[in-house]
């Protein structure tokens, strides 16, 4: 999908190195994170009903997840330095599974607030450890493979959303639903095996990382990618965090049906990311960004104007299909600007990620709590059109 972030590793050295286990381990961690996010997102109305939380309180909790994820990123750096990347990934996923149990069984408002905060910290730790390891594995492959990791994230999100829908249809209370989800995430954590990357590679990355100073000119070049990443996560947070509640409250969908919009959205992202490499090779990255932008805008309008929940589910799938390629394209393009310091660049790009999640989660929740959920999807439909101006930044050559 994207240009190599460095000089390609010769095919022979790649085939003889333990890259496949490393790639599987990182993909598994991405999948565990995707399943955890889906578990929390699709149980928002059930948790709200169980503890009699007000819409505003639920909005604050969703925002708290994004804020604590930022804290978790910094905490994750300390864990990486102490335990190493692979152990840090495994610990973060186990902690995230534990927080799912706490959310499900929280007896009161205070405990559930702490539980959501711990969940966010776990996500932040996974972000910094998994993305750093993904960048290292990608460098050894000599070509971009970011889309495959995010496809694993989305596929696991689909599975977790369907698990919520299925168990809710069986009449399970949210405590048991989140226990089942925690079991899924924990099972994925237990399959993460230790692995080593080839020490002889000139592009080997230290498990502990090093501080890299980025010049002002590089930040200027990163700005278009940062804007795309920010808007993409505004949209992702709006659909992921609130689509279940939107279907339940605004479109009168049952709790067993409401998670289907999230599942459809993630199915769209899986499909889009599976096709992204081929589309970029055939059309070029700038054309893909333009097409994805227009499709996302149209699909968001469909979600906002949906007369009933089946229409919203279909439109959510279109939104996922449109927005799916934007994040991997941004990360790979940003890393391409400084091949020797890709990890430092990608770590800083995470700032736009969290700002987008925070903005999307808070704004959508506030609009929803005041009975204007449709605006929560209509406004991003207009906002995303601004990304058309950034497409030219993706015009450099991308190869597989």
């Amino acid at each position: 999908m994207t240009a190599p972030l460095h000089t390609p590793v010769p095919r022979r050295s790649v085939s003889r190195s333990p890259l496949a286990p490393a790639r599987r381990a990182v993909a598994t961690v991405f999948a565990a994170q995707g399943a955890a996010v889906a578990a929390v997102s699709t149980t928002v109305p059930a948790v709200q009903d169980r503890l009699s939380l007000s819409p505003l309180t639920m909005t604050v909790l969703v925002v708290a997840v994004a804020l604590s994820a930022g804290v978790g990123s910094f905490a994750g750096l300390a864990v990486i330095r102490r335990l190493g990347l692979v152990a840090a990934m495994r610990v973060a996923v186990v902690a995230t599974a534990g927080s799912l149990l706490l959310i499900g069984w929280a007896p009161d408002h205070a405990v559930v607030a702490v539980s959501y905060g711990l969940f966010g910290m776990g996500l932040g730790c996974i972000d910094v450890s998994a993305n750093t390891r993904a960048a290292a594995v990608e460098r050894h492959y000599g070509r971009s493979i970011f889309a495959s990791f995010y496809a694993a994230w989305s596929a696991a999100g689909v599975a977790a959303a369907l698990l919520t829908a299925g168990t809710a249809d069986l009449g399970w209370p949210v405590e048991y639903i989140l226990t089942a989800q925690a079991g899924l995430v924990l099972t994925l954590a237990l399959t993460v095996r230790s692995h080593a990357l080839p020490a002889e590679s000139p592009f080997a990355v230290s498990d502990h990382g090093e501080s890299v100073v980025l010049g002002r000119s590089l930040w200027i070049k990163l700005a278009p990618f940062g804007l795309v990443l920010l808007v993409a996560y505004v949209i992702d947070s709006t659909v992921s965090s609130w689509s279940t509640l939107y279907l339940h409250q605004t479109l009168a969908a049952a709790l067993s049906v409401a998670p289907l919009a999230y599942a459809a959205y993630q199915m769209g992202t899986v499909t889009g990311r599976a096709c992204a490499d081929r589309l970029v090779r055939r059309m070029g990255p700038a054309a893909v960004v333009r097409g994805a932008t227009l499709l996302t805008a149209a699909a968001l309008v469909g979600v906002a104007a949906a007369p009933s929940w089946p229409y919203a589910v279909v439109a959510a799938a279109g939104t996922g299909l449109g927005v799916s390629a934007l994040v991997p394209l941004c990360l790979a393009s940003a890393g391409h600007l400084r091949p020797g310091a890709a990890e430092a660049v990608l770590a800083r790009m995470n700032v736009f990620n969290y700002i987008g999640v925070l903005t999307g989660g808070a704004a959508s929740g506030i609009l929803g709590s005041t009975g204007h959920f449709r605006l929560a999807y209509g406004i991003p439909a207009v906002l995303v059109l601004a990304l058309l101006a950034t497409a030219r930044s993706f015009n450099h050559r991308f190869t597989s």
Side-chain angles (χ1 to χ4, degrees):
M1 180 179 68
T2 58
L5 302 184
H6 54 82
T7 304
V9 178
R11 185 174 298 274
R12 180 174 299 177
S13 67
V14 170
S15 63
R16 293 180 180 177
S17 66
L19 293 180
R23 185 173 184 177
R24 281 196 300 270
V26 177
T28 299
V29 173
F30 270 81
Q33 187 185 38
V37 170
V40 166
S41 299
T42 56
T43 54
V44 164
V47 171
Q48 182 177 340
D49 290 349
R50 175 177 174 266
L51 295 176
S52 300
L53 300 172
S54 69
L56 182 59
T57 300
M58 204 67 233
T59 299
V60 171
L61 292 179
V62 171
V63 170
V65 170
L67 290 174
S68 57
V71 176
S73 292
F74 290 102
L77 292 175
V79 176
I80 291 169
R81 295 187 186 103
R82 186 172 183 84
L83 302 179
L85 272 169
V86 179
M89 290 191 298
R90 189 184 294 115
V91 168
V93 175
V94 171
T96 301
S99 68
L100 290 177
L101 286 174
L102 290 175
I103 292 171
W105 293 92
D108 53 41
H109 293 191
V111 175
V112 81
V114 172
S115 302
Y116 275 110
L118 292 175
F119 175 76
M121 290 191 68
L123 292 185
C125 189
I126 294 175
D127 270 343
V128 68
S129 57
N131 277 302
T132 301
R133 196 58 166 182
V137 173
E138 181 184 64
R139 186 170 359 265
H140 284 280
Y141 265 83
R143 55 187 172 85
S144 176
I145 56 173
F146 258 101
S148 67
F149 295 128
Y150 279 89
W153 194 101
S154 298
V158 173
L162 293 176
L163 177 60
T164 297
T167 50
D169 188 53
L170 293 174
W172 286 23
V174 69
E175 301 97 306
Y176 295 122
I177 293 174
L178 282 173
T179 297
Q181 298 282 15
L184 171 62
V185 174
L186 184 59
T187 300
L188 289 170
L190 296 176
T191 65
V192 177
R193 297 287 182 260
S194 296
H195 58 271
L197 293 177
E200 70 274 9
S201 170
F203 303 103
V205 179
S206 168
D207 272 0
H208 307 293
E210 297 180 359
S211 177
V212 179
V213 177
L214 301 179
R216 182 179 177 183
S217 62
L218 181 61
W219 277 109
I220 294 174
K221 293 178 181 178
L222 283 175
F225 305 131
L227 175 62
V228 175
L229 200 64
L230 189 153
V231 173
Y233 274 105
V234 165
I235 295 167
D236 182 78
S237 179
T238 300
V239 177
S240 298
S241 299
W242 300 111
S243 62
T244 301
L245 199 59
Y246 171 54
L247 261 67
H248 181 56
Q249 288 190 352
T250 304
L251 301 180
L255 285 176
S256 60
V257 170
L260 294 182
Y262 184 93
Y265 171 75
Q266 293 298 346
M267 186 63 74
T269 64
V270 172
T271 303
R273 285 164 180 167
C275 300
D277 292 335
R278 185 176 303 173
L279 288 174
V280 168
R281 286 194 295 267
R282 178 173 297 180
M283 302 167 55
V288 171
V289 170
R290 292 188 185 98
T293 297
L294 293 173
L295 174 58
T296 302
L300 283 170
V301 170
V303 175
S308 59
W309 68 261
Y311 292 93
V313 169
V314 173
T319 303
L321 186 64
V323 82
S324 61
L326 295 179
V327 172
L329 268 172
C330 282
L331 294 175
S333 299
H336 181 76
L337 295 175
R338 184 70 67 84
E343 287 73 27
V345 172
L346 295 176
R348 285 152 180 79
M349 289 292 287
N350 255 353
V351 173
F352 299 99
N353 171 349
Y354 294 130
I355 292 175
V357 170
L358 183 62
T359 303
S364 302
I366 292 171
L367 287 170
S369 66
T370 57
H372 297 92
F373 253 135
R374 293 187 185 276
L375 282 178
Y377 295 97
I379 293 174
V382 177
L383 183 63
V384 73
L385 292 175
L387 301 187
L388 292 172
T390 69
R392 68 182 67 180
S393 300
F394 294 82
N395 259 331
H396 57 279
R397 284 259 176 212
F398 283 73
T399 59
S400 57

